[in-house]
Amino acid sequence: MNTFEATRLVAAREIRVKLRDRTFLISTLVFLLIAAAATILPPLLAGGPPSVAATEAMAGPLREAGLEVRTVPDDAAAEQSVRDGDVDAAVVTGPAVLAMTEAPREVVSALSSAPPVQLLDPDAVDPALAFLVPFAFAFVFFITSQTFGVQIAQSIIEEKQTRIVEILVSAVSVRALLAGKMLAGTLLALGQIALVALVAVAGVAWGGDTGLLSLLAPAIGWFIPFFLLGFVLIAAMWAAAGALVNRLEDIGGVSTPVQLAVMLPFFAVVFLNDNPTAMQVLSYLPFSSPTAMPLRLFSGDAAGWELPVSLVLLLVAAVGFLLAGARVYEGSLLRTNGRTSLRTAWRERETVS
């Protein structure tokens, strides 16, 4: 069995185990429900445009404003429609607006003559989106890399704790074992994100906000390769951390650097997303570029050449961390007599074929 076949075999085993894991299935369902609620509920809670009764002569401006117009033969019928609760308001000759308890602002605005408006910054991002989009990108990367990274570490520790790893490495190489776990974690993470993205896009399209979709499309497109390389970098650190210990209870003692590498960029992107200088720096740092650079593209602050440059830097860092993680993994995987120090794993790695 060559390395490729062994890697594929290990990855398939890891995926089968995870797809039968109730925790993984429940977490995926929760993410899908959150994505659906975040995109579908706002239009539902906002309600549709107010309904208005008016004669055909008065209906033109109301229809142009996107209001729901019910045509009536005369003003008396329009007033009666309001009193009967069939419509929210009525427009009668004058023009005058009739309503029961509250003045309908949308109807009044449709009949008003607005002054000309000149936008000084027509391409500016909506303030609400400027906060929500950075948080969403950072949250997705934070939760996914944390969840699947921890699962990779736990899988390694469980195999060491039960000594099943000794059986595994007698059938496949240590590197194939690590590559299979990394491949399975990456595929599962991408699959979960793809499902969440599909539900979110469907929800936005259902709400009719095609403008938001066209605005987000380039950022989402670049987020995928950045996420992939960023996840590999973080997953390599989790794999190395998991190989250093023999019990699940001890993972906290070696995972602090990994936790900080995930948490600090998350909070930096969330709280500094309105600082162009800070975001420019964060978009080139390997641990924060998976979210910072797509966000700069979304806000229009990133030049075209910056994205491939940042992606290449992230690729170099991911390869470096992957090689370093593999070396630590090889040097500590078969050490089951207690916690292995990083120096020992690095300097005295065991070569197992």
Side-chain angles (χ1 to χ4, degrees):
M1 181 184 302
N2 58 38
T3 302
F4 175 78
E5 293 174 342
T7 299
R8 185 177 60 181
L9 182 64
V10 173
R13 170 183 172 270
E14 293 288 328
I15 291 175
R16 285 196 302 269
V17 170
K18 191 55 62 180
L19 291 179
R20 291 195 296 263
D21 183 17
R22 183 176 300 180
T23 302
F24 170 76
L25 297 177
I26 293 176
S27 66
T28 302
L29 179 61
V30 170
F31 285 146
L32 294 178
L33 291 176
I34 292 175
T39 54
I40 294 176
L41 287 182
L44 290 178
L45 296 177
S51 55
V52 187
T55 61
E56 190 61 42
M58 305 294 298
L62 301 174
R63 289 197 180 97
E64 293 176 2
L67 303 180
E68 180 184 341
V69 179
R70 174 178 295 185
T71 304
V72 292
D74 50 41
D75 292 346
E79 180 178 346
Q80 191 60 43
S81 296
V82 177
R83 294 185 181 277
D84 293 341
D86 296 333
V87 294
D88 299 315
V91 177
V92 297
T93 304
V97 178
L98 306 179
M100 291 300 295
T101 59
E102 185 179 357
R105 289 177 297 177
E106 294 91 340
V107 178
V108 174
S109 299
L111 298 174
S112 302
S113 178
V117 177
Q118 181 181 1
L119 299 179
L120 300 179
D121 190 8
D123 297 326
V125 178
D126 180 84
L129 292 178
F131 172 78
L132 292 176
V133 172
F135 180 81
F137 276 100
F139 181 78
V140 167
F141 182 75
F142 171 76
I143 290 296
T144 306
S145 60
Q146 188 82 341
T147 300
F148 287 95
V150 169
Q151 290 174 359
I152 290 174
Q154 289 177 342
S155 174
I156 294 172
I157 296 172
E158 289 171 355
E159 291 173 354
K160 291 186 65 175
Q161 191 170 9
T162 58
R163 307 296 289 266
I164 195 175
V165 66
E166 298 174 4
I167 301 175
L168 293 174
V169 297
S170 66
V172 300
S173 68
V174 174
R175 291 194 175 185
L177 186 59
L178 175 61
K181 290 181 179 295
M182 295 280 293
L183 178 61
T186 303
L187 291 177
L188 288 169
L190 286 176
Q192 191 177 78
I193 285 184
L195 286 175
V196 172
L198 182 62
V199 171
V201 169
V204 173
W206 181 84
D209 198 347
T210 56
L212 178 58
L213 286 178
S214 61
L215 187 63
L216 283 173
I220 293 176
W222 276 99
F223 177 67
I224 294 174
F226 273 98
F227 168 84
L228 179 62
L229 294 178
F231 178 83
V232 170
L233 188 154
I234 299 297
M237 297 179 64
W238 275 114
L244 292 175
V245 296
N246 301 320
R247 301 186 307 164
L248 291 174
E249 296 84 355
D250 298 332
I251 185 62
V254 296
S255 64
T256 300
V258 191
Q259 300 276 9
L260 292 176
V262 177
M263 294 180 63
L264 293 181
F266 168 74
F267 289 112
V269 170
V270 169
F271 292 111
L272 299 178
N273 67 84
D274 57 348
N275 187 321
T277 302
M279 288 297 292
Q280 186 173 20
V281 174
L282 290 172
S283 64
Y284 287 100
L285 298 179
F287 292 102
S288 55
S289 62
T291 52
M293 186 57 80
L295 289 178
R296 291 187 62 216
L297 177 64
F298 170 75
S299 61
D301 295 331
W305 61 267
E306 291 187 86
L307 287 105
V309 170
S310 177
L311 192 62
V312 169
L313 293 176
L314 180 57
L315 173 61
V316 172
V319 171
F321 273 85
L322 184 60
L323 294 176
R327 177 163 180 159
V328 173
Y329 179 83
E330 289 179 341
S332 56
L333 183 63
L334 295 181
R335 296 180 181 272
T336 57
N337 57 345
R339 175 176 169 179
T340 305
S341 68
L342 185 61
R343 176 179 296 182
T344 300
W346 182 266
R347 300 175 70 177
E348 301 180 18
R349 64 176 179 172
E350 300 176 54
T351 303
V352 182
S353 57

